[in-house]
Amino acid sequence: MKKTLLSLALAISFGLGAATAHAKDVLVVLSSSDHLELKDGKIYKTGFYLNELMQPVQALQKAGHKLTFVTPDGRAPSFDRASIDKAYFGGDQTAVVEAQRQLDHLGLLSPDTSPVVSLARVEQIGLDQFDAVYVPGGHAPMQDLLHDQRLGRVLNHFHKTGKPTALDCHGPIALLSSLKDPEVFTSGLVTGERVASSQDWIYSGYKMTAFSNREEEMAKSMFGGEMKFYPQDALVRAGGTYSQASDAFAPHVVIDRELITGQNPASALMVAKELLKRLK
C-alpha cells in the first residue's frame, strides 16, 4: 500500500514538474486609458473588451502559463461596459458571467490593489524573462499604446528574438509604437496629410489584420462622434499588408512570422489558439 502511494506521489510530482517546465510567461499589455478622444473634442468612454482579454487569458491559464499584466504607467486598466454582451461569447450568457467572475478574481480593475505593472518595470525585470506578448482590443489602445516608446522597445525585442506577438481587434494599432516617431506619423493621419510608409518599420511588409474600416463604419453610431482615423488605414500606410474576412465581424486571423493578429472580437479565441501553438 505504501509503495503504491509513493508511486502515485512521484507520478503527481513528476507531472507537475513537467507542466511547470513547459509553462511560459506571457506579457498581457493593456491600455491605461479609459477613453478615446474623437474629432471635435468629443470623448468616448472605453477600455479593453471583456472577451478579447478574458478568452485568451482563460486559455493561457488553463494551459498552465504565467501571465504578467502590464499598462504603460502601471495604473489599473478600464474595460468597455459595452463588451458585457453574450454576442461576443457566441451567445453564451454563462460564459459572460464566468469571464466577469474571473476578471474580478484577477483584481485588474482595482485602483489600489491591481497586480498590473508598468512597462518601465517590465524593462527592469528584463525582456528575456518573457516568452510572448498579447495585446487585446477595445478602442483604448488607440489613445496611448500606439505612441508608447517603451512598448515600441518591447515589440522590437520580441521581433528580433522571434517571440510570439499577438494582438486582436484594435490591439494591432499598438504596432505603430515601434515606428521611429509614431506621433508624427499619426498626426499626419489626423490632419489628412499624405503619410508615406516607413521602410524601417519592423513590420513593414508583414501580413496583418485589425478592426476593418467597414466594421468601424458599421459600429460608429455608438460613439456619438467620429474617430480621428481607423486602424486599417493606419497600418496600411505604415507599411503593413492588410486583409480582412469576407463578412464583417466574422473571425479572421493572420499569421506572419512572429506576428499573430485578429480582426475583431470574434477572432479572440482563434488568436489564443494560435498563440498556444507557438508557446508549445
Side-chain angles (χ1 to χ4, degrees):
M1 180 65 177
K2 290 183 179 180
K3 185 176 181 181
T4 302
L5 289 174
L6 178 59
S7 298
L8 179 59
L10 288 172
I12 292 172
S13 176
F14 178 81
L16 289 174
T20 303
H22 293 292
K24 303 295 176 64
D25 197 335
V26 180
L27 282 176
V28 180
V29 181
L30 299 157
S31 169
S32 289
S33 181
D34 63 357
H35 69 277
L36 174 65
E37 296 174 8
L38 306 174
K39 289 182 179 180
D40 303 323
K42 294 181 178 179
I43 298 294
Y44 174 63
K45 295 294 289 183
T46 187
F48 62 82
Y49 258 42
L50 181 63
N51 84 297
E52 292 176 27
L53 174 66
M54 293 309 300
Q55 286 176 330
V57 162
Q58 288 168 329
L60 289 163
Q61 288 184 324
K62 185 177 181 180
H65 299 302
K66 178 184 175 183
L67 304 179
T68 299
F69 295 94
V70 190
T71 60
D73 54 12
R75 285 189 295 126
S78 299
F79 88 105
D80 196 317
R81 308 294 299 184
S83 67
I84 308 175
D85 191 326
K86 65 182 181 181
Y88 300 118
F89 291 82
D92 186 350
Q93 181 61 32
T94 301
V96 179
V97 173
E98 180 61 18
Q100 287 184 278
R101 187 192 68 79
Q102 292 193 23
L103 177 61
D104 289 342
H105 179 72
L106 289 171
L108 296 180
L109 304 178
S110 171
D112 300 317
T113 60
S114 177
V116 299
V117 298
S118 67
L119 283 166
R121 177 57 182 150
V122 166
E123 289 185 308
Q124 290 176 347
I125 294 170
L127 295 176
D128 288 332
Q129 300 294 318
F130 302 100
D131 303 288
V133 61
Y134 173 61
V135 183
H139 287 82
M142 297 194 67
Q143 186 65 31
D144 59 355
L145 295 188
L146 75 173
H147 294 147
D148 197 287
Q149 293 182 342
R150 292 161 299 184
L151 179 56
R153 292 194 292 269
V154 170
L155 293 175
N156 266 283
H157 168 82
F158 279 78
H159 170 72
K160 290 177 181 178
T161 55
K163 296 178 182 178
T165 303
L167 314 92
D168 190 42
C169 199
H170 290 82
I173 200 69
L175 298 174
L176 297 184
S177 67
S178 61
L179 286 168
K180 185 176 181 180
D181 196 335
E183 292 197 47
V184 170
F185 177 80
T186 57
S187 67
L189 295 173
V190 173
T191 59
E193 297 174 17
R194 184 174 179 81
V195 181
S197 61
S198 178
Q199 297 301 314
D200 60 354
W201 188 36
I202 58 175
Y203 302 108
S204 181
Y206 268 63
K207 297 175 183 177
M208 61 183 65
T209 190
F211 205 63
S212 69
N213 289 357
R214 176 173 51 166
E215 290 165 331
E216 294 284 13
E217 287 294 317
M218 294 171 69
K220 72 178 182 180
S221 61
M222 67 182 182
F223 292 126
E226 290 188 38
M227 292 173 63
K228 294 178 179 180
F229 59 87
Y230 290 160
Q232 176 181 336
D233 291 334
L235 294 172
V236 169
R237 293 193 186 188
T241 300
Y242 181 88
S243 69
Q244 60 184 291
S246 56
D247 296 323
F249 301 104
H252 179 62
V253 171
V254 176
I255 304 167
D256 191 348
R257 286 156 279 189
E258 82 277 9
L259 191 63
I260 304 167
T261 50
Q263 180 179 327
N264 47 36
S267 306
L269 279 173
M270 292 175 61
V271 170
K273 182 178 179 181
E274 293 300 330
L275 180 54
L276 285 170
K277 285 182 183 177
R278 295 294 184 90
L279 290 172
K280 288 182 181 179

